[in-house]
Amino acid sequence: MAKRGGMWADLQRERARRQRLQQQLERSHQQAADRARRERDKARREAERRAAANERERKRLYIEQRQAEAEEMGAELDARVHKLESLLALGLNDQLPPTFVSFKRDIEPPPFDPQGLDQPIPEPSFADMAPLPPGALGRLLGKGARYERELETAHQEHERRRSQHAQAEADRRRRLADLRTSHEGRVREAAEQVRRHNAEVEQFERDFYAGAPEAVAQYFTLVLDAVTYPEGSPHRSRILYRPESKELVIDYELPAQSVIPVERSYKYIQKRDAIDPISRPAKEIKERYASVIAQVALRTLHHIFAVNVPDIVAAATFGGYVRAKDKATGQPIRPYLISVSATREAFDELVLADLDPVACVKQKLGALVSPHPYDLEAVKPVVDFENLLKQFAFVEGMDAAAGLDSRPDLIDMTPVEFEHLVRQLFEAMGMKSWVTQASKDDGVDGVATNEDPIFGGLCIIQAKRYRKAVGVDAIRELAGTMEDKHATKGIMVTTSWVTKGGHEHANRHGRMQIIEHEELKYLLKEHLGLDVLISLPKQPPKGRK
């Protein structure tokens, strides 16, 4: 029994030892698991902290970006407003008025392209086709006769190729000569075009310094066209010249009200993640628009008087209008917002860099200025430009060319149809034309305005569908009508011809053009594609065709 009790105790001790070991192992595993869990929790908390910091940084950077965007938009507004505030000052630094020399062209002959024909065709080489001579063994084997036959054939082929080469080389030289002839023709044509253009510019210059109304108006149109304005400013103009008073009349399209930004700045609203505009006060908008109008008027007059020709232009009248819609009717309107006249002498007294534009035009120049320009309250212009053109009663145009059959005879047309055909001709030549009413037209068959900046102008047209000669009385009548209507040019168009006395009177007048018989046919063919007949009882005198 003693032995059994000792064994039992040993077993209990061993079991207890194993239990302790198992418990130690479990504790070790638990401790390791706890350490891993703590590490995971620590890493998670660190990641969450970093993510929160990154999110805060991302939000901070985004807010700064949106705020910078709002500031940039505000800076763009400030730049636009600054340009508008400086319209007059910027205009004082514009380049000098264009010179007549700058209108001329230089001859730039087109380069000659030989298209590869300037390189001779290589001659055929006999060596390339000659057979190889046989060696000593080949001759012993009887190949000499064969070689002689091949050699003769090669000579014949060489001669054939030489003949072909000679023909091809002759054809090359001929085609090269044709190209040179064609190129020389283009060079002469280009030189002639430049010569004609420069001759027109020289005549333009002579007419300008002679005080011809058309030339003076054309030149000053070019002066104003060369002026640069900020975006949104149309600065389109029309000009007439009154030689009797040495006065330019300028009809000018002003910038619309939208040129003044209605926003003063921008602000980023973080709560809504939006950039909201901050409105400009209505009073400021209206004051700035009034300043723009005054600056444009003074700047335009400055550019006119900057051309130092006091014997030609002693005064200028500026009428500024805007294109808009009548809020009551929806119809387009052109209210004049400013009208001002100034003599060169009075304008030269102004120190444009230091004055208040609005005060200057109102107090010094006595301009008619809209009391509420932003609201398009119109004023009556000092000189009504439109009235100068509307001295004539116009009717709607008709398509006379559409009714012409193959080889029509202009003599068979009615006078009204002929007048409308002439109108279409001028329009095809780049003019804007109208036909006057059949009655009360003061001897005017039509009016045309050419909007070309150099050679355009207002023209009085007489269209004579005559079978017999047009006498000097008709030319005198046209000249008188030109003076009465303040036109810059007169054009007599006739199916017949003008007498010698009529031509002499037109030449002395200097601002008249005569289009007769064959020239009329040529112009209709050139610009309207009409091949017409003019059946006259007798042919025009020699030299009048």
Side-chain angles (χ1 to χ4, degrees):
M1 292 296 292
K3 289 183 178 178
R4 183 180 301 175
M7 181 184 65
W8 179 252
D10 290 339
L11 290 174
Q12 285 183 326
R13 285 193 296 273
E14 181 64 22
R15 185 171 60 183
R17 186 184 67 81
R18 288 180 179 178
Q19 287 177 345
R20 288 193 301 273
L21 289 175
Q22 181 65 31
Q23 291 172 352
Q24 290 175 356
L25 181 62
E26 290 177 355
R27 285 196 299 272
S28 176
H29 287 168
Q30 183 62 41
Q31 290 171 353
D34 290 343
R35 284 196 300 272
R37 179 179 55 75
R38 287 194 297 271
E39 290 296 329
R40 287 196 303 272
D41 291 344
K42 181 180 180 181
R44 178 179 55 76
R45 289 192 300 272
E46 180 64 22
E48 289 175 349
R49 185 188 65 78
R50 287 197 303 268
N54 289 339
E55 178 64 16
R56 287 194 298 272
E57 180 65 11
R58 185 192 67 78
K59 289 182 178 180
R60 184 185 69 80
L61 293 176
Y62 178 77
I63 292 171
E64 289 181 356
Q65 177 186 356
R66 294 288 278 167
Q67 289 173 340
E69 185 179 349
E71 291 175 0
E72 183 178 354
M73 293 169 66
E76 291 178 356
L77 278 179
D78 292 341
R80 284 176 56 190
V81 171
H82 177 70
K83 287 182 179 180
L84 296 174
E85 290 175 340
S86 308
L87 273 179
L88 180 56
L90 294 173
L92 302 181
N93 298 322
D94 274 343
Q95 61 185 7
L96 295 175
T99 63
F100 287 97
V101 172
S102 68
F103 300 148
K104 290 188 174 183
R105 300 174 184 168
D106 294 326
I107 298 177
E108 298 180 0
F112 175 63
D113 180 11
Q115 301 179 12
L117 296 175
D118 55 335
Q119 300 299 321
I121 302 173
E123 295 187 17
S125 172
F126 180 73
D128 293 339
M129 61 188 74
L132 294 174
L137 180 60
R139 290 184 181 279
L140 291 175
L141 295 176
K143 293 185 178 180
R146 179 181 174 183
Y147 167 72
E148 293 298 331
R149 290 194 300 273
E150 290 177 349
L151 185 62
E152 178 62 24
T153 300
H155 278 296
Q156 292 175 358
E157 178 63 19
H158 181 244
E159 287 301 319
R160 186 185 68 80
R161 292 188 182 183
R162 286 185 60 191
S163 176
Q164 289 179 341
H165 170 267
Q167 293 178 0
E169 183 65 10
D171 181 63
R172 179 192 69 81
R173 289 193 293 268
R174 178 187 58 77
R175 291 165 60 196
L176 180 61
D178 290 344
L179 283 178
R180 290 190 184 279
T181 300
S182 177
H183 175 259
E184 290 169 358
R186 290 195 298 272
V187 170
R188 288 193 299 272
E189 181 181 357
E192 177 60 20
Q193 289 178 351
V194 171
R195 187 199 65 77
R196 288 197 301 266
H197 172 82
N198 290 344
E200 290 178 343
V201 171
E202 291 169 359
Q203 183 62 49
F204 177 28
E205 183 176 10
R206 288 192 294 271
D207 292 344
F208 174 81
Y209 284 107
E214 177 183 1
V216 174
Q218 289 167 355
Y219 174 76
F220 280 100
T221 299
L222 289 173
V223 170
L224 297 187
D225 285 347
V227 175
T228 57
Y229 271 86
E231 184 180 356
S233 301
H235 75 285
R236 285 187 287 266
S237 62
R238 295 181 298 171
I239 296 179
L240 289 176
Y241 177 60
R242 290 175 163 181
E244 63 279 1
S245 57
K246 297 181 181 179
E247 177 191 13
L248 281 180
V249 181
I250 304 118
D251 196 51
Y252 197 97
E253 182 178 351
L254 297 167
Q257 306 102 308
S258 58
V259 74
I260 307 296
V262 296
E263 306 87 358
R264 185 168 63 181
S265 61
Y266 291 91
K267 183 178 181 180
Y268 174 61
I269 308 301
Q270 182 177 344
K271 185 177 180 180
R272 293 187 288 105
D273 188 22
I275 295 177
D276 289 350
I278 299 177
S279 298
R280 192 179 301 274
K283 181 180 178 182
E284 179 188 343
I285 293 175
K286 294 179 179 181
E287 289 176 349
R288 289 191 180 279
Y289 188 59
S291 175
V292 166
I293 291 172
Q295 288 185 79
V296 169
L298 290 174
R299 182 171 170 168
T300 304
L301 293 174
H302 163 72
H303 289 304
I304 294 296
F305 290 126
V307 183
N308 190 23
V309 286
D311 293 338
I312 298 175
V313 176
T317 296
F318 175 92
Y321 66 90
V322 291
R323 295 181 185 272
K325 295 282 188 180
D326 189 323
K327 294 181 179 180
T329 66
Q331 295 295 322
I333 54 175
R334 297 171 71 248
Y336 281 83
L337 305 182
I338 184 171
S339 183
V340 55
S341 292
T343 64
R344 181 182 293 272
E345 183 180 6
F347 199 82
D348 286 346
E349 295 178 357
L350 303 178
V351 183
L352 297 177
D354 297 329
L355 53 74
D356 179 334
V358 175
C360 176
V361 295
K362 287 184 177 180
Q363 300 172 17
K364 177 63 178 178
L365 300 181
L368 296 175
V369 182
S370 169
H372 304 289
Y374 192 80
D375 299 323
L376 304 182
E377 186 173 331
V379 297
K380 184 175 178 61
V382 176
V383 177
D384 190 344
F385 191 95
E386 291 298 325
N387 189 51
L388 295 179
L389 295 177
K390 291 179 179 178
Q391 295 177 60
F392 315 96
F394 300 112
V395 295
E396 292 296 325
M398 57 182 286
D399 192 355
L404 293 177
D405 297 325
S406 178
R407 297 285 290 171
D409 193 337
L410 299 190
I411 298 299
D412 293 337
M413 299 180 74
T414 67
V416 173
E417 289 173 337
F418 181 63
E419 289 175 9
H420 282 279
L421 179 63
V422 171
R423 171 187 60 82
Q424 288 177 270
L425 173 60
F426 286 147
E427 289 177 345
M429 293 168 68
M431 296 184 178
K432 290 176 62 178
S433 308
W434 301 267
V435 175
T436 62
Q437 292 179 352
S439 61
K440 298 181 181 179
D441 62 1
D442 297 325
V444 179
D445 292 322
V447 178
T449 55
N450 185 348
E451 295 184 344
D452 183 276
I454 298 181
F455 303 107
L458 178 67
C459 303
I460 299 295
I461 303 166
Q462 283 280 12
K464 301 295 185 183
R465 185 191 55 84
Y466 278 16
R467 289 181 169 85
K468 297 181 181 180
V470 176
V472 68
D473 290 343
I475 302 300
R476 290 196 185 102
E477 179 184 3
L478 176 57
T481 304
M482 289 172 58
E483 298 304 320
D484 182 58
K485 304 299 182 182
H486 303 289
T488 57
K489 190 169 185 177
I491 302 178
M492 173 64 70
V493 183
T494 178
T495 52
S496 60
W497 67 94
V498 175
T499 62
K500 180 179 179 181
H503 274 279
E504 291 174 348
H505 187 85
N507 292 336
R508 287 194 302 271
H509 187 277
R511 291 187 287 113
M512 300 178 67
Q513 180 181 353
I514 295 175
I515 299 176
E516 304 168 292
H517 199 261
E518 290 299 322
E519 184 180 3
L520 176 58
K521 291 172 63 176
Y522 170 79
L523 293 175
L524 289 171
K525 178 72 173 178
E526 179 73 12
H527 296 283
L528 291 179
L530 297 176
D531 188 10
V532 301
L533 295 171
I534 302 178
S535 299
L536 299 178
K538 66 176 183 178
Q539 288 298 309
K542 188 175 182 180
R544 304 289 177 82
K545 294 184 179 182

